[in-house]
Amino acid sequence: MAVTAKDVALLAGTSKSAVSAAISGKSGGTVRMSHATRRRIIEAARQLGYAPNPLAQSLSTGRTGVLGLVLPYADAFVDRNPFCSRIMNGVLDEAIRQRFNMMLFTGDGAGACGAETLDPRVDGLIVVVPSVDNPLVRMSSERFSPCVVVAGWPELPNIPTINADDFHGGWLATEHLIKLGHRKIAMFYNQGEPEGFGPRAEGYKSCLLEHGICCDKDLLIGAGCDWRPGFERMNEILDRPRRQLPTAVFCVNDLCAEGAMRAIRTRGLKVPDDIAIVGFDDTWFAQVTRPALTSVRMPIHQMGLLAVDLLKKLIAGESVENLNTLLPVSLTIRQSCGAPPEMQTAEDIEFLPFDHTYEEIINESQK
Amino acid sequence: MAVTAKDVALLAGTSKSAVSAAISGKSGGTVRMSHATRRRIIEAARQLGYAPNPLAQSLSTGRTGVLGLVLPYADAFVDRNPFCSRIMNGVLDEAIRQRFNMMLFTGDGAGACGAETLDPRVDGLIVVVPSVDNPLVRMSSERFSPCVVVAGWPELPNIPTINADDFHGGWLATEHLIKLGHRKIAMFYNQGEPEGFGPRAEGYKSCLLEHGICCDKDLLIGAGCDWRPGFERMNEILDRPRRQLPTAVFCVNDLCAEGAMRAIRTRGLKVPDDIAIVGFDDTWFAQVTRPALTSVRMPIHQMGLLAVDLLKKLIAGESVENLNTLLPVSLTIRQSCGAPPEMQTAEDIEFLPFDHTYEEIINESQK
DNA sequence: GTGAAAGCGCTAACAT
DNA sequence: ATGTTAGCGCTTTCAC
C-alpha cells in the first residue's frame, strides 16, 4: 500500500488534519499552523514520497479535476471520423494546458447518455453528440455538474453550446456552385437532425431562394454523416433519368461527400466533370480524396478549446454571458467542383500537423 | 446530492451491505440473500434511480476500471504526430470495447513520469514514451499497478513491451534504396535514443554491411522524431560540397522525412530526382506529402489493441508468457524514392478512415 | 495554533 | 440468511 497522510503525520509528530492543511497549502478555515510545523510536515512528506490519494480527495471534496468527453459512438474516438478526432484534439489540448485530466465516454447510439454520464468521477462534461436530448439535460440539473454541448443544439434551454455557423456554411457552399453555373444543385442533409433539415440545409435553401432558383424537393435528400449514406443516396440518384440528374451535390459533410464521389466513380462518371461535389468540415480528409474536396471549413480545433474554457468557468461557478457561441466558417476551394485554378485554395501543406502550435490557434481565434 | 445506497436500503428495509451485494450481483462471500429481498432491493434502486458512486467504490475496492494512457508530451494527444494519434486510437478502440474507461496523462518531457503516474485512479498504465526510465519502473513495482510499454524499451526487465520490428524496418528501407541503385545513403536517427542509434539505425547499418557498402559515419546523423530536426539536419547537409552529398536519406520517421523534403524543396532541389527519401510509420501523413512518402509501415493500431489486452491480463493477475511482443513491418512504396510505377504500392484510398472496422483489424492481425 | 472526530459512499469481514 | 461494523484516505468543522 502507498504511504498515507497518517504515516506522514506520525513521522512529523502531528495529526492527519495538519498534514492535509499543510500539503494543500490552505491556511484557510480554522487551521493555521506555525511555519515550523508546516515545514516539518512538508519535509516528512517529501521524505516518505507522500502524495494525496486523489480518489479519497475527490470522495471527500466532490471535486475531481477531471473533465469528461462524450463522443457519439466508440469509433468516434478513433480516426473513423476526422471531425471527431479534431474536436477531441482541441479539447484535449486545452484540457491538458489547463491541467485538467480527461476521461472518455461514449454516448452509445444517438443521443444516448447512460448512467455513466452522471459520473461523479468528472467535474463536468463536454458533449459532442449529434442529437442531444433530455437525459443529458436532466443530468445537468440534477447534479451540480455542468456540461457544454459542442456541435449540437440541445432541446432544452440554458445549456451552453458551441457551434460553427452551419447556416452560413450551407450558404457559402451553395453560392459557390451557383457561381460556377450550376442550377440543379442537390443537397444531402443529415436525416438524423432532430427537426427539419438542419441549419446546413437551411443555408442551402436560403441561398437558392436568394438567387431565384426554385428549391426542388427531389433534390433535397436525406442522407447522413457517414460515407455509406452518401454512397447509397448517390447510387439511387444515378438511377434517375439523365434529365433529372443534378449537376452538383452539396453534402452534409466530407465523409458523405466521399461516399457520393465513390458512387459516381463506380458508375464510370467523373467528378467534377459530370457532377460537382462540395463537402463540409474540411479536415485533412478533404485533402486526400481524389479529386480533393471543396469543403466548408469550420474552426473545429478552436471549438474544442472553447468548450474546455467554458466548462472550466461553469465548474468554477462563474456565470457565462454568451450561452450560444457561433463561430465563423469559410470555403476551401479545391478540385471537386471544377473551379478554375485561380479560385482554388493553394494546396497548403502548411495545414499538416506541424504548424498547429497552440499560440497560432489562439492568435487565429483572436483576430 | 445523488441518491446513495443508504437511501435504497431505507426504502427496501434492509441494510447497506445487502444493497451492495444485490446490486453488484455478487452472491459470493458470506452474503447470500433470498430472491425476495434481492428483488425488493433492485426495485427500490430502480425506483430511486440509484447507481453506485464509482469513486467510493474504487476507494473501497482499490479497483477503478480505468486505464491510463501516457503519451510523451501534451501535443502528442493531438494531431501533432499521426503516430501517436494512431496508437491512441488503437488503445481507445480496444479499451472501449473491453469496457474500460480511459484517462489521459502526459509524461511531460523525455521519459518523465511524475507523481500523477502512480495515480490510484487507474488500474494500470499504457506508456508510450520514447525513453522509458527508472521512475516509471519503480512505480510499477512499488504499487501493484501494472504497466505496458508501447514502442519503447525500458531499461529494467520484467516490464512487458509491445514493439514493431524496427530493426527489420530499417533493413527494408535501406534495401529498397540500394535496389534503386543508391550507394551514398544517409540515415537520420533519433538522437534521443537511450543508447546507440536505436534499432532502426542498426537495421540500416546491418543492411549496408550485408551489401558490402561501407557505413560512412558522416552519413549517420543525429536528428529526431519531428520535422524540425529533419529540416535542420538536411539544411546542414546541403551545405556540404556536392561530392559529399548523399543521394538518399532514410529518416527515422515520416515527420522527420517531411522536414528533410522541405529543406530540399527550399534549396530548389527535387525529391526524388536529387535526393531520395524514405520515412517510417506510414500513417495517413505519408500519403499527403508531396511527393508521397515511401515509408515503413508498422501495425500501429494493432499495437494499441494488444497493449490493452496485455494490460487487462496483468490487471487480472494473469501471468504473461511473451513479455516482449515484436510485430512485423512492411515497406509501402510511393514516389519519394523514384521507384518505377510498377513497384509502387497502389495509392489505396481504402486506407482512409471508413474501412477501419474492428473486425478487419483483428482479421488482419491473425493472418 | 493544534488535534479529535465525523463523514464522503461504498465494500467485505464479521457477528447474529 | 440477514444485519452490523469497520475501514478505504482524505477534508473539514469543531472543541481544546
Side-chain angles (χ1 to χ4, degrees), chain B residues 258-338:
Chain B
E258 162 63 15
M261 292 206 295
R262 193 186 268 214
I264 294 170
R265 254 197 327 267
T266 307
R267 298 286 188 116
L269 298 176
K270 279 240 176 315
V271 176
D273 306 350
D274 297 302
I275 298 182
I277 299 284
V278 185
F280 209 112
D281 282 355
D282 195 22
T283 58
W284 59 267
F285 183 77
Q287 273 189 47
V288 295
T289 59
R290 294 296 130 82
L293 263 173
T294 289
S295 184
V296 178
R297 172 168 295 198
M298 3 184 1
I300 310 179
H301 190 269
Q302 194 197 344
M303 290 165 74
L305 300 187
L306 291 178
V308 174
D309 280 340
L310 195 55
L311 189 54
K312 189 190 172 193
K313 281 184 189 153
L314 291 172
I315 291 172
E318 301 176 30
S319 68
V320 182
E321 63 295 353
N322 202 349
L323 213 57
N324 299 300
T325 308
L326 209 61
L327 297 170
V329 299
S330 60
L331 188 69
T332 302
I333 300 175
R334 297 199 183 84
Q335 287 91 49
S336 67
C337 297

Side-chain angles (χ1 to χ4, degrees), chain A residues 177 182 184 186 188 227-239 242 245-251 255-278 290-291 293 335-337:
Chain A
L177 291 169
H182 293 279
K184 298 176 75 168
F188 285 4
W227 71 273
R228 191 172 289 279
F231 183 79
E232 291 169 351
R233 288 304 86 67
M234 185 52 93
N235 255 332
E236 292 163 15
I237 288 176
L238 292 173
D239 287 335
R242 196 162 180 82
L245 288 185
T247 62
V249 181
F250 165 41
C251 297
L255 255 46
C256 177
E258 162 63 16
M261 293 205 294
R262 195 185 267 214
I264 294 171
R265 251 193 334 262
T266 308
R267 297 288 187 113
L269 298 175
K270 279 243 175 309
V271 176
D273 306 351
D274 296 303
I275 298 182
I277 300 285
V278 184
R290 294 294 131 83
L293 261 174
Q335 288 91 51
S336 66
C337 297

Side-chain angles (χ1 to χ4, degrees), chain B residues 14-15 17 30 32-34 37 60:
Chain B
T14 65
S15 70
S17 31
T30 344
R32 244 182 295 173
M33 54 182 29
S34 65
T37 28
S60 188

Side-chain angles (χ1 to χ4, degrees), chain B residues 109-121:
Chain B
C113 289
E116 82 280 6
T117 299
L118 29 120
D119 193 316
R121 285 176 297 191

Side-chain angles (χ1 to χ4, degrees), chain B residues 139-272:
Chain B
M139 167 215 85
S140 172
S141 48
E142 279 180 9
R143 282 184 62 219
F144 174 68
S145 169
C147 77
V148 171
V149 170
V150 176
W153 299 94
E155 291 170 15
L156 307 211
N158 272 5
I159 305 291
T161 63
I162 294 183
N163 279 281
D165 193 341
D166 289 315
F167 180 93
H168 189 231
W171 211 94
L172 283 178
T174 311
E175 187 192 34
H176 178 65
L177 290 170
I178 293 174
K179 272 188 192 158
L180 293 175
H182 293 279
R183 288 300 173 269
K184 297 175 74 168
I185 303 171
M187 152 109 209
F188 285 3
Y189 69 91
N190 180 20
Q191 225 157 9
E193 294 287 339
E195 41 183 302
F197 306 106
R200 294 179 192 182
E202 295 304 330
Y204 154 85
K205 291 201 287 189
S206 164
C207 183
L208 286 183
L209 223 67
E210 186 145 329
H211 286 79
I213 300 175
C214 162
C215 183
D216 184 347
K217 285 202 172 164
D218 288 341
L219 294 181
L220 190 51
I221 294 152
C225 287
D226 206 343
W227 71 272
R228 190 173 289 278
F231 182 79
E232 290 168 351
R233 289 303 88 69
M234 185 51 94
N235 254 333
E236 292 163 14
I237 288 176
L238 291 173
D239 287 335
R240 295 182 185 176
R242 199 164 180 81
R243 270 299 151 99
Q244 292 176 33
L245 288 184
T247 62
V249 181
F250 165 41
C251 297
V252 69
N253 77 350
D254 290 347
L255 255 44
C256 177
E258 162 63 15
M261 292 206 295
R262 193 186 268 214
I264 294 170
R265 254 197 327 267
T266 307
R267 298 286 188 116
L269 298 176
K270 279 240 176 315
V271 176

